[in-house]
Amino acid sequence: VVLVALSFPGASLLTIAGGFLFGIAAAGAVTTVAATIGATIVFLAARSSLGSALRARAGPFVARLSKGFRDDAWSYLLFLRLVPVFPFWLVNLAPALFRVPLGTYVGATLLGILPGTFAYAFLGAGLDSLIAAQEAAHPGCVDAGTCAIDPAALLTPTFLGALAALGLVAPVPPLLPCRRHAPRPARRTTPP
């Protein structure tokens, strides 16, 4: 919660560590709830005090985007959460500027971060198999602290499955139905 609320970069490393220490289900569930709470704290802070100052400085550009964002906030937020290109902290702040309803924000955030969070937890859980494979390739190296990385041992089924899960999350956003907000042609009031 604190890492996300402070917009600390690399919170996904904590998800990987959680997967390693506690397993996929526990790390994924706890991280999803904690990240949603932290993101909501940032959202509410920006919406209450910081948001009006940022909105005033942004001017009419924000007003134009705001209408489109409010019209389809759920789809926009879900897309932004699923696409790993957009910084998490930025996606926490932007909806506050566009006056997105709290319920929409929380729901889209919770749902949107699920695939990536569980994929990172799966990756962390796969680290166990890497350590076990290194120990099998070089018995006693873990205790001695002298393990040399054996490239063949990096290709464990669990670790490859975790990488595949991350790869499956990446193409999800283009598959989602998103409505475009194109301007409608003006209606004719006189016959042609």
Side-chain angles (χ1 to χ4, degrees):
V1 171
V2 173
L3 290 178
V4 173
L6 294 176
S7 299
F8 182 77
S12 55
L13 293 177
L14 194 58
T15 306
I16 293 170
F20 176 71
L21 295 172
F22 305 110
I24 300 164
V30 169
T31 302
T32 299
V33 171
T36 302
I37 292 170
T40 303
I41 290 169
V42 173
F43 172 80
L44 291 173
R47 195 163 97 173
S48 63
S49 59
L50 183 62
S52 58
L54 290 173
R55 214 176 359 268
R57 296 191 93 194
F61 179 70
V62 170
R64 284 184 299 212
L65 288 178
S66 178
K67 183 186 177 327
F69 204 91
R70 279 187 305 207
D71 288 347
D72 200 7
W74 179 267
S75 293
Y76 283 120
L77 277 171
L78 193 58
F79 179 79
L80 291 173
R81 291 296 186 198
L82 287 169
V83 177
V85 173
F86 303 103
F88 197 73
W89 64 269
L90 180 62
V91 179
N92 292 340
L93 290 175
L97 298 178
F98 300 128
R99 299 181 185 180
V100 170
L102 180 61
T104 300
Y105 177 81
V106 172
T109 296
L110 183 70
L111 185 62
I113 66 173
L114 276 174
T117 300
F118 276 90
Y120 280 118
F122 190 18
L123 184 64
L127 293 177
D128 256 357
S129 68
L130 292 179
I131 293 169
Q134 293 300 324
E135 178 67 29
H138 305 285
C141 74
V142 172
D143 292 332
T146 59
C147 285
I149 295 178
D150 183 2
L154 293 176
L155 303 176
T156 65
T158 306
F159 194 69
L160 289 175
L163 291 177
L166 285 173
L168 291 174
V169 170
V172 168
L175 300 175
L176 292 175
C178 286
R179 291 178 269 164
R180 303 286 181 217
H181 297 282
R184 293 182 181 165
R187 297 176 90 184
R188 287 188 172 178
T189 56
T190 58

